[in-house]
Amino acid sequence: MIVEVGHFALVLALAMAIVQSLVPLWGAARDDEAMARVGAPTAVAQCLLVTISFLALTWAYMTSDFSVENVVANSHSAKPLVYKISGVWGNHEGSMLLWVLILALFGAAAALFGRDMPLKLRANVLAVQGMVSVAFLLFILATSNPFARLVPAPAEGRDLNPLLQDPGLAIHPPLLYVGYVGFSIAFSFAAGALISGRIDAAWARWTRPWVMIAWIFLTLGIAMGSYWAYYELGWGGFWFWDPVENASLMPWLSGTALVHSIIVMEKRDALKVWTLFLAIVTFSLSLLGTFLVRSGVLTSVHSFATDPQRGVFILAILVIFIGGALALYAWRAPMLKQGGIFAPISREGALVLNNLLLSACTATVFVGTLYPLALEATTGEKISVGAPFFNLTFGPLFLPLLLIVPFGQALAWKRGDLAAVTQRLIFAGVAALILVGLLWAVTSGESVLAILGAGLALFVIVGSIGEVIGRVWRKGVSLPLALRRAVGLPLSAWGTAFAHAGLGVSLLGLAATGWGVEKIVTVKIGEIVPIAGYEVRVRALEPRAEANYSETVAAMDVLRDGVKIADITPSKRLYTTRQMPTTEAGIATIGFGQVYVALADDAGPDRVGMRLYWKPLVLLIWIGSLVMAFGGALSLADRRMRVGVARRAPARLAPAE
Amino acid sequence: MIWALFAALTVAALALALRPLLGAAGGGAAARTDADFYREQLAEIDRDLGRGLLTPEDAEAARVEAARRLLAVAPGAAGPTAAPARAARRLSALAIAVLVPLLAVGVYLKLGRPDQPDLPLAARKSDDPAKLDLVAAVAKVEDHLRRNPNDGRGFEALAPVYMRMQRYRDAARAFSEAARLLGETPDRLVGLAEADIFMANGVVTAQTRRTLERALAADATYAGALYYLGLAAEQDGDTAKAVSLYERILGSAAPDDPSYAGVRRRIAQLKGGDAAAAIAALPKDDQQQAIRAMVEGLAARLSENGQDREGWLRLVRAWSVLGERDKAKTALADARKALAADAAAIGALDALARELGLEG
């Protein structure tokens, strides 16, 4: 009964979403306040209903209800409870339900927190949000119903793909989806403003928190996904320029541009039309990512052609929403008033440059991801576009962007002084040059790119943090005063500094991959393999059996100077139900670096084949992302974001923010 | 019960959605404008200042900014006004109240299974045998074996059930566990071999062959082992060896035992080409026996799947030729039932019945 209640709730949510997308729109168009007010309660009702539905499916998973087809296909009664729960979104149908749940949560949140918005805008925003819900609820019910029943029920499920039986699955998709779907609010705000035909005074202020939340979660989601791939797939890589990864990178790049341009709009009332466009593009790229991942088009263009139902449906959603929004944009945007003028050398100018470069990066990834698909669809030729393409195109666009980050942060609004800023950044530049020189001497000029990358990373870190320090301290200022000033500094200034420094930290981790060491060896038990100043000793090989898999575990010691510093247990697993082997890497963290061991196939009873890596500073890649997200959270927490302080520089010490 | 829940959900959702439409016209907060927004913002700045969330300088700057924008707002830019349009409002409320339940119930009836109860695994494994279905029973035994992996009897009981459920991999594991724990017997070994052969789509692998040979070493006349080894020899192309193995099966059987008809036929085929020739080569009694076995096989097949017009026609004719008029008539009646929807087939059956004189 619980299952069927969940099913009915989902259908009822569709009905509510239809009301939500029609009535407020009509009310706003004919100035009927009561009808315009219908948006908020229907958004809340829709959210509650989808929540009931999601909980019902989760319940079916937790109790191993094999009369539900989706549970049979993706669960197993012997699976640990946490993976039964995360299994809910470890498959197509369930993950779409999670998608719609997050969409509905954002819709309800916008309805509840948007009480002080002009009613007309709020009605239009919620109506557009409702339309997105209608599309995806229809998609679920028509092509991917997680509540389909199976009679008679089999005794056991087919188990979840073992690669997904990992804490990573519990965390990664929800984070990523909050990011993806969070941009729907920005989209709805943009479409709402375009429908109203005017941008309300505080549009940017209302939209920015949602964009910020989405960006924070998308950042965390991508970082989490990358770390998961790193330790779970056993290849030792963390980013493969795989279309699925690119699908999440594209909205992140344009979302990053949006986070910046919306600041210009909020503070200076400029770049309005461009910001609306970015809001539309960012969510469109989220939709595109959903299409790429969910239609099966990536497995093969041909498998898509033989079973096109789902793909065609999402493609239709894509065309209607992107096409509709862009048409609306083309029609309405010219009517919007432009505001705020600024000199080319200014904070705004730097942000425009940032937006240009980020847009170009997005376009690069877009082409690299879709061109092979288009080529295969039209000529049948299969090509693979991988790291070499992106290193040659994405790299040259992204590196200059990093170079201007500290400059943009230090420039004043409206009209900046480049010479003064450069003077302030000299310290960071010198620090970077010293690092490059030192590294050059130590490594005798090997891996030039890594050295230059590390230098650039240090420049970004020192430049970002230094800018804040420069605002609170200089020679002659006492420590207590500096501290008081630091506390008085707006949180958003700290947020900027942290986010930018995080970028530098990630870059440092990426640059350090240039000094990584890789070895492929086969050793006897007891043998010692040296790697980059450490040693790995294989202690024993032991078989082990768990409820839903059996494995061969290699117990190993990591030694430094003959002294044991860590225990690792890489293993090869065989998941019984699916007869699918997986490799569990053994990872020892030493400082920010890691010794990473992945077992190869059986080499014999007392021999172990393995791939060994020393990955210096590798953790910085993900720590940097955390720092970035923390910066975003600081900026989100700033009270001014809500009351809107745009203050003039009271003293030379604290230049205009 | 379940429909009461559905109704409650629907009513609750409608109550939320309809409230703004049914409330007093123009009630609640007045329409908000940009000017209202800035006025409220000024108040919020004061509140934040009071709570120490903003420094006085920041608050002053924010006040100036908000006041500047407040002045800039055009006085005419008002939001939607509460026009007294009661009729339209009532109409839309009525439309929502009628269409939402209609849509929800309509779509749900098309997709849902309101009669289908939840079936959590724990409930299916209950101790009440009346509630236990076969699959749940298997799951229960499996669960028991996971905790007591040395219970050979459990594996022995489960193995043939797995075979019937076509879970050959599990069957092979259960047979080999039973053999390991309780000792190898020809039954267990041949069971294991059979499961392996089904898993390999009928191919007898070298390892399976060794299993069969162990079974044969324990009991030199074990029919199952002889049969599958014969199959292995056939797959090797060694017809002579296959025939000699099959003949060893017959060696211990009564010459007219019908359960060995299949083996006899196979021997005949291997010796002399196709089935008809093989039957012709048999002694008169055996011939009759083999034909009967074939016809009975056909009848059994048709009783399982009756959608085979040619099969029915052949069956009716065969019984008639064998002099079994009653069986022919029964088959005719069964065929008419099975093919009732197929007018052409009924016509053909009628014609055949007339030809064979089975009518009346």
Side-chain angles (χ1 to χ4, degrees):
Chain A
M1 195 169 69
I2 293 175
V3 175
E4 292 302 317
V5 168
H7 197 170
F8 183 77
L10 195 63
V11 177
L12 195 55
L14 172 67
M16 279 291 120
I18 292 174
V19 174
Q20 183 190 338
S21 50
L22 295 178
V23 178
L25 198 63
W26 195 25
R30 54 193 292 274
D31 281 350
D32 185 324
E33 190 191 330
M35 284 168 76
R37 282 193 187 286
V38 169
T42 43
V44 172
Q46 191 218 121
C47 174
L48 292 175
L49 289 166
V50 177
T51 308
I52 291 176
S53 182
F54 188 82
L55 290 177
L57 186 64
T58 310
W59 175 255
Y61 267 87
M62 284 168 67
T63 58
S64 295
D65 187 335
F66 293 125
S67 68
V68 179
E69 216 177 309
N70 191 247
V71 180
V72 177
N74 300 291
S75 194
H76 192 283
S77 63
K79 205 164 60 164
L81 183 64
V82 53
Y83 297 146
K84 280 184 191 165
I85 297 173
S86 62
V88 174
W89 54 83
N91 63 85
H92 170 79
E93 289 82 359
S95 71
M96 286 317 297
L97 191 59
L98 178 67
W99 210 97
V100 168
L101 173 66
I102 294 173
L103 189 68
L105 281 171
F106 269 104
L112 293 176
F113 291 112
R115 291 221 177 96
D116 54 358
M117 278 162 54
L119 183 57
K120 206 165 176 175
L121 175 64
R122 186 178 171 211
N124 285 335
V125 167
L126 289 177
V128 175
Q129 192 75 10
M131 291 175 200
V132 181
S133 283
V134 169
F136 279 92
L137 284 167
L138 266 181
F139 173 71
I140 291 181
L141 290 170
T143 73
S144 323
N145 196 331
F147 292 105
R149 305 297 291 269
L150 197 60
V151 181
E156 204 33 277
R158 293 200 288 274
D159 210 354
L160 182 65
N161 184 336
L163 288 177
L164 302 180
Q165 295 192 24
D166 185 276
L169 177 69
I171 312 165
H172 166 64
L175 285 179
L176 200 62
Y177 281 13
V178 172
Y180 266 5
V181 181
F183 286 120
S184 69
I185 292 281
F187 175 86
S188 298
F189 268 92
L194 288 170
I195 293 172
S196 314
R198 55 189 286 265
I199 302 183
D200 287 277
W203 187 93
R205 196 154 302 144
W206 286 307
T207 313
R208 198 173 139 212
W210 303 108
V211 172
M212 207 70 215
I213 291 173
W215 181 86
I216 291 170
F217 277 93
L218 193 57
T219 306
L220 291 174
I222 293 175
M224 179 69 222
S226 141
Y227 188 64
W228 182 21
Y230 166 76
Y231 75 74
E232 179 67 27
L233 294 181
W235 303 339
F238 48 84
W239 191 263
F240 305 96
W241 293 108
D242 170 282
V244 176
E245 292 167 335
N246 293 348
S248 64
L249 185 63
M250 286 189 279
W252 187 83
L253 289 170
S254 70
T256 309
L258 180 60
V259 163
H260 288 96
S261 80
I262 209 166
I263 297 175
V264 179
M265 181 163 166
E266 184 188 354
K267 304 263 189 208
R268 297 278 309 127
D269 213 24
L271 296 189
K272 283 185 189 173
V273 175
W274 169 247
T275 303
L276 286 193
F277 180 72
L278 266 185
I280 292 171
V281 165
T282 303
F283 185 58
S284 301
L285 290 170
S286 295
L287 286 179
L288 178 72
T290 308
F291 167 71
L292 287 178
V293 177
R294 288 287 145 224
S295 65
V297 73
L298 289 179
T299 341
S300 152
V301 172
H302 303 294
S303 84
F304 171 64
T306 50
D307 182 18
Q309 196 196 9
R310 283 177 180 170
V312 167
F313 205 116
I314 306 187
L315 203 57
I317 294 179
L318 216 66
V319 169
I320 292 171
F321 280 95
I322 301 178
L326 290 181
L328 192 62
Y329 178 81
W331 175 40
R332 292 287 206 182
M335 305 179 194
L336 300 172
K337 261 187 289 181
Q338 279 290 9
I341 43 166
F342 51 85
I345 303 290
S346 62
R347 179 79 71 93
E348 296 95 317
L351 287 170
V352 167
L353 189 54
N354 146 307
N355 269 229
L356 282 177
L357 287 169
L358 280 170
S359 308
C361 289
T362 312
T364 311
V365 179
F366 186 84
V367 169
T369 309
L370 292 193
Y371 177 69
L373 293 176
L375 191 69
E376 195 190 338
T378 49
T379 68
E381 192 186 344
K382 258 184 176 295
I383 58 164
S384 122
V385 172
F389 169 82
F390 291 103
N391 289 346
L392 277 177
T393 53
F394 186 82
L397 285 169
F398 206 74
L399 291 181
L401 178 61
L402 290 167
L403 202 61
I404 63 162
V405 160
F407 285 94
Q409 193 185 338
L411 277 168
W413 289 104
K414 223 165 170 182
R415 191 179 303 109
D417 184 347
L418 192 59
V421 168
T422 313
Q423 210 177 356
R424 262 182 283 158
L425 285 172
I426 278 181
F427 179 68
V430 170
L433 285 178
I434 291 175
L435 180 71
V436 168
L438 273 177
L439 288 172
W440 196 282
V442 170
T443 61
S444 53
E446 271 176 69
S447 36
V448 180
L449 273 178
I451 294 172
L452 293 179
L456 183 57
L458 194 70
F459 175 67
V460 174
I461 298 171
V462 175
S464 311
I465 301 291
E467 199 264 339
V468 179
I469 292 174
R471 281 164 73 167
V472 299
W473 181 84
R474 70 171 171 189
K475 225 179 232 168
V477 171
S478 71
L479 191 64
L481 179 62
L483 277 182
R484 231 175 312 133
R485 278 192 175 145
V487 172
L489 211 56
L491 275 180
S492 65
W494 284 109
T496 308
F498 271 101
H500 289 173
L503 195 61
V505 172
S506 281
L507 179 65
L508 192 57
L510 285 173
T513 52
W515 297 297
V517 182
E518 180 181 355
K519 269 189 182 177
I520 300 177
V521 288
T522 302
V523 295
K524 283 207 268 301
I525 288 170
E527 208 175 310
I528 287 179
V529 191
I531 181 147
Y534 301 95
E535 289 162 333
V536 174
R537 179 172 63 199
V538 186
R539 212 167 52 228
L541 263 185
E542 27 192 80
R544 233 188 257 169
E546 297 287 335
N548 58 340
Y549 61 86
S550 56
E551 64 179 345
T552 309
V553 182
M556 300 186 187
D557 295 331
V558 180
L559 315 168
R560 178 167 45 202
D561 307 326
V563 182
K564 176 168 151 183
I565 52 170
D567 245 336
I568 50 174
T569 52
S571 69
K572 286 211 82 86
R573 286 184 185 168
L574 184 70
Y575 280 79
T576 339
T577 307
R578 292 201 177 206
Q579 289 292 310
M580 184 166 164
T582 68
T583 305
E584 299 292 310
I587 299 176
T589 303
I590 303 160
F592 290 122
Q594 291 188 327
V595 170
Y596 183 111
V597 180
L599 296 188
D601 290 328
D602 282 352
D606 56 346
R607 296 172 73 79
V608 193
M610 57 184 175
R611 276 171 305 133
L612 249 92
Y613 303 89
W614 163 241
K615 295 182 168 293
L617 300 185
V618 69
L619 281 183
L620 290 185
I621 296 173
W622 301 291
I623 291 174
S625 318
L626 292 179
V627 174
M628 263 190 260
F630 177 67
L634 281 182
S635 173
L636 187 64
D638 193 339
R639 290 291 299 170
R640 281 151 226 266
M641 191 141 152
R642 297 191 42 211
V643 300
V645 177
R647 72 172 162 182
R648 259 168 246 282
R652 275 206 50 218
L653 257 181
E657 124 202 28
Chain B
M1 173 57 187
I2 194 161
W3 285 102
L5 274 173
F6 290 176
L9 275 181
T10 314
V11 168
L14 283 178
L16 270 174
L18 293 178
R19 220 177 46 165
L21 292 175
L22 299 179
R32 301 174 45 82
T33 60
D34 281 358
D36 293 330
F37 171 76
Y38 291 122
R39 265 179 227 116
E40 243 168 56
Q41 204 174 40
L42 285 170
E44 191 180 357
I45 293 167
D46 287 338
R47 273 202 306 279
D48 280 358
L49 181 63
R51 277 186 291 170
L53 291 166
L54 282 175
T55 60
E57 305 89 71
D58 281 346
E60 188 50 40
R63 247 187 240 123
V64 169
E65 172 84 8
R68 193 167 56 79
R69 290 199 188 173
L70 176 57
L71 286 177
V73 174
T81 50
R86 291 190 147 202
R89 212 172 280 174
R90 290 253 166 83
L91 194 68
S92 62
L94 189 67
I96 293 172
V98 172
L99 292 180
V100 163
L102 267 185
L103 180 79
V105 171
V107 174
Y108 175 75
L109 278 180
K110 196 147 169 40
L111 300 173
R113 302 282 297 265
D115 53 325
Q116 187 64 38
D118 287 349
L119 214 53
L121 201 58
R124 296 166 74 191
K125 285 182 183 168
S126 79
D127 289 323
D128 181 357
K131 280 190 191 157
L132 212 60
D133 52 18
L134 176 69
V135 279
V138 169
K140 205 168 149 70
V141 178
E142 282 173 339
D143 203 37
H144 163 79
L145 287 174
R146 211 168 284 131
R147 272 176 279 119
N148 307 289
N150 289 321
D151 180 1
R153 295 261 155 248
F155 285 110
E156 179 126 292
L158 212 46
V161 182
Y162 279 141
M163 283 301 281
R164 237 173 302 141
M165 294 167 83
Q166 306 187 338
R167 290 169 61 180
Y168 302 123
R169 186 184 299 281
D170 292 323
R173 197 172 48 80
F175 274 121
S176 77
E177 283 297 291
R180 182 175 69 81
L181 295 163
L182 305 174
E184 292 188 349
T185 64
D187 280 330
R188 289 172 196 142
L189 289 171
V190 172
L192 170 61
E194 196 167 26
D196 282 338
I197 291 166
F198 273 92
M199 220 174 3
N201 290 321
V203 176
V204 187
T205 62
Q207 194 190 342
T208 307
R209 208 168 294 185
R210 282 195 294 279
T211 311
L212 290 166
E213 275 154 6
R214 279 217 300 288
L216 210 56
D219 177 357
T221 62
Y222 196 93
L226 287 167
Y227 176 76
Y228 285 118
L229 281 172
L231 188 63
E234 269 192 63
Q235 285 169 2
D236 290 345
D238 189 346
T239 313
K241 187 175 174 197
V243 169
S244 94
L245 282 162
Y246 289 150
E247 279 173 344
R248 273 169 70 188
I249 302 179
L250 296 181
S252 57
D256 56 349
D257 186 338
S259 47
Y260 291 106
V263 177
R264 279 196 201 94
R265 206 159 55 241
R266 190 72 200 139
I267 294 172
Q269 273 171 6
L270 289 173
K271 278 183 173 166
D274 68 343
I279 291 172
L282 291 172
K284 190 97 182 122
D285 281 352
D286 282 0
Q287 231 179 58
Q288 208 55 4
Q289 193 70 51
I291 290 169
R292 228 162 231 291
M294 276 175 64
V295 176
E296 252 147 19
L298 179 61
R301 188 163 63 72
L302 288 173
S303 73
E304 275 168 30
N305 174 20
Q307 295 308 306
D308 177 2
R309 188 169 81 178
E310 294 312 314
W312 282 114
L313 291 173
R314 225 169 39 239
L315 183 65
V316 173
R317 188 181 289 277
W319 283 132
S320 177
V321 169
L322 287 170
E324 300 267 14
R325 274 186 67 84
D326 288 340
K327 284 194 175 171
K329 278 184 176 172
T330 321
L332 190 63
D334 288 344
R336 284 194 171 129
K337 244 181 272 162
L339 300 171
D342 186 350
I346 296 295
L349 283 168
D350 287 342
L352 181 69
R354 269 195 304 278
E355 181 202 327
L356 299 174
L358 290 173
E359 300 285 29

